[in-house]
């Protein structure tokens, strides 16, 4: 089960405790017996214990894992990374989620906070991020960032087809707008997509240079663009990766499990 804010207050004891085996949560946490300290996405459980907010009897013997790690583990064991030991899953959604699998195991770090690649800086003194830093990858490569970049381009390109696609309502822009316009031959839409893909590639190249995984899979809302996103991204990677002369290269592909990745990963982590 993956818990988010709208559900946490409504959770009720299941008919049987065995109905819940493992829980994925959008924060840096591994065990339900550990206190949950505030983070940037979920300040609503600041300085308290999740056990006091949830059903103690139902969940006391269960485990809680970071949701991105659950998704990465699910993809690693049953999806795009099945059969490999070194694997990274990237999710391009509201933010940039990531999970790192090394030698078949989740890389948790000493404090269970490892793997937050969305908060590595790719633009020094760049846009302000919610984490307190400037220039974080998720400020440029998330769906939220793409929407902001699309709106900014539209304001400078009043004749862009993107206006037609949203019925002249800039508030209707979503993560598909620029891609759809590009497919129709819109120059401004292509500018947005090209720039956005380069930002995504920048972070992925960093991940390859640091971890040299066998596979990186890309999912999330923008990941639905599949090869429209991935093929130009691979071109950037081929030009800039440190390991360009290696006989073995990281394969970049689409995630396979969709929204089920986290659920599958949480279940597998309990066994």
């Amino acid at each position: 089960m993956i818990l988010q804010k709208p559900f946490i207050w409504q959770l009720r004891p299941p008919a049987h405790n065995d109905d819940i085996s493992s829980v994925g949560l959008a924060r840096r946490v591994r065990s339900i017996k550990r206190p949950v300290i505030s983070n940037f996405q979920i300040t609503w459980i600041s300085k308290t214990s999740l056990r006091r907010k949830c059903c103690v009897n139902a969940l006391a013997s269960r485990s809680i894992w970071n949701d991105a790690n659950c998704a990465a583990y699910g993809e690693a064991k049953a999806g795009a990374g099945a059969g490999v030991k070194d694997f990274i899953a990237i999710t391009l959604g509201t933010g940039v989620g990531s999970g790192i699998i090394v030698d078949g195991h989740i890389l948790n770090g000493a404090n269970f906070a490892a793997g937050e690649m969305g908060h590595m800086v790719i633009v020094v003194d760049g846009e302000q991020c919610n984490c307190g830093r400037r220039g974080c990858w998720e400020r440029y490569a998330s769906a939220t960032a793409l929407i902001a970049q699309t709106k900014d381009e539209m304001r400078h390109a009043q004749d862009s087809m993107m206006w037609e696609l949203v019925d002249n309502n800039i508030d209707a822009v979503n993560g598909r707008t620029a891609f759809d316009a590009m497919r129709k031959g819109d120059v401004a839409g292509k500018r947005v997509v090209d720039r956005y893909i380069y930002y995504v590639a920048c972070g992925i190249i960093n991940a390859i240079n640091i971890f040299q995984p066998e596979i990186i899979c890309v999912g999330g809302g923008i990941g639905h663009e599949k090869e429209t996103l991935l093929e130009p991204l691979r071109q950037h990677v081929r030009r800039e990766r440190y390991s360009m002369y290696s006989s073995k290269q990281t394969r970049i592909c689409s995630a396979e499990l969709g929204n089920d990745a986290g659920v599958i990963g949480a279940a597998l982590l309990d066994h």
Side-chain angles (χ1 to χ4, degrees):
M1 178 172 58
I2 306 298
L3 293 184
Q4 298 291 350
K5 183 176 180 180
F7 306 110
I8 196 94
W9 308 115
Q10 302 172 27
L11 190 63
R12 296 292 182 270
H16 303 285
N17 287 357
D18 289 342
D19 291 346
I20 298 176
S21 62
S22 189
V23 178
L25 181 65
R27 69 147 290 98
R28 57 177 188 274
V29 63
R30 176 171 183 262
S31 170
I32 196 166
K33 296 180 181 179
R34 294 176 176 271
V36 177
I37 305 171
S38 62
N39 77 331
F40 309 114
Q41 277 76 36
I42 307 184
T43 57
W44 46 275
I45 52 174
S46 175
K47 298 179 182 177
T48 188
S49 166
L50 184 60
R51 293 182 69 188
R52 292 198 292 269
K53 296 295 184 186
C54 293
C55 307
V56 177
N57 292 335
L59 299 179
S61 63
R62 307 314 183 197
S63 58
I64 295 181
W65 297 82
N66 172 274
D67 64 337
N69 285 343
C70 287
Y73 197 75
E75 286 285 354
K77 298 300 182 181
V84 306
K85 290 185 175 181
D86 299 297
F87 174 79
I88 294 175
I90 303 293
T91 303
L92 305 176
T94 304
V96 173
S98 57
I100 303 166
I101 309 298
V102 177
D103 197 24
H105 302 285
I106 294 173
L107 181 65
N108 286 307
N111 57 355
F112 300 100
E116 293 290 343
M117 289 193 292
H119 296 289
M120 65 178 166
V121 169
I122 66 166
V123 179
V124 176
D125 293 328
E127 293 189 29
Q128 182 69 53
C129 182
N130 292 334
C131 76
R133 304 187 78 193
R134 287 185 174 276
C136 289
W137 190 27
E138 84 168 26
R139 293 297 298 166
Y140 297 87
S142 63
T144 305
L146 174 57
I147 290 169
Q149 292 159 17
T150 301
K151 289 179 177 179
D152 184 64
E153 181 68 31
M154 288 170 65
R155 294 185 184 103
H156 292 87
Q158 294 294 321
D159 60 345
S160 169
M161 187 177 294
M162 291 186 285
W163 285 103
E164 180 182 337
L165 292 174
V166 297
D167 294 326
N168 291 313
N169 177 11
I170 200 167
D171 292 330
V173 168
N174 58 41
R176 300 186 304 273
T177 304
F179 279 94
D180 288 344
M182 178 189 71
R183 280 187 277 267
K184 293 178 179 293
D186 185 64
V187 175
K190 188 176 187 305
R191 275 198 300 268
V192 173
V193 171
D194 288 349
R195 184 169 58 245
Y196 172 75
I197 290 176
Y198 185 69
Y199 287 138
V200 176
C202 182
I204 286 180
I205 293 164
N206 289 346
I208 291 172
N209 287 350
I210 295 167
F211 296 103
Q212 296 296 335
E214 294 175 70
I215 294 175
I216 291 181
C217 80
V218 180
I222 307 303
H224 292 153
E225 290 292 337
K226 296 190 179 296
E227 289 303 308
T228 304
L229 168 71
L230 295 184
E231 184 47 40
L233 188 155
R234 293 187 194 105
Q235 293 175 22
H236 289 301
V237 172
R238 284 193 285 267
R239 284 195 298 268
E240 298 189 27
R241 64 192 172 194
Y242 179 78
S243 59
M244 64 177 63
Y245 299 115
S246 173
S247 60
K248 189 171 185 177
Q249 298 290 349
T250 298
R251 182 162 67 88
I252 301 170
C253 65
S254 294
E256 295 180 0
L257 302 181
N259 292 335
D260 292 334
V263 177
I264 292 170
L268 291 172
L269 283 165
D270 192 54
H271 296 282

